[in-house]
Amino acid sequence: LLVSGDGLVHEFVNGLMERVDCCYAVYNTPICHVSAGTQNQIAGGIGTNCYETTAYCIIKRKLKGLDI
């Protein structure tokens, strides 16, 4: 669970990509992003740019694959 702006999500994914098992880590690590930044481009792109929608998706375990 990340409560942040887009920058921390970027850094988190970069950290996953630097692992020896990066393919496994990227495909098997769900990332929940609660947008708390100023522009929130990632959250807007996946349709969870408000806290209510994000909470609903967490509770209902709605997943969306992204091309990184």
Side-chain angles (χ1 to χ4, degrees):
L1 177 65
L2 297 171
V3 179
S4 69
D6 295 340
L8 186 60
V9 176
H10 175 77
E11 291 300 321
F12 182 79
V13 171
N14 278 343
L16 288 177
M17 295 298 291
E18 291 185 11
R19 294 173 49 123
V20 174
D21 63 342
C22 67
C23 289
Y24 178 82
V26 167
Y27 289 113
N28 293 300
T29 304
I31 301 171
C32 177
H33 179 234
V34 179
S35 59
T38 54
Q39 295 184 358
N40 303 319
Q41 295 297 316
I42 294 174
I46 60 175
T48 59
N49 52 351
C50 68
Y51 300 114
E52 295 85 4
T53 305
T54 304
Y56 175 81
C57 290
I58 292 170
I59 292 167
K60 295 295 186 177
R61 194 155 170 76
K62 294 191 174 280
L63 304 176
K64 183 171 188 174
L66 296 176
D67 181 15
I68 58 168

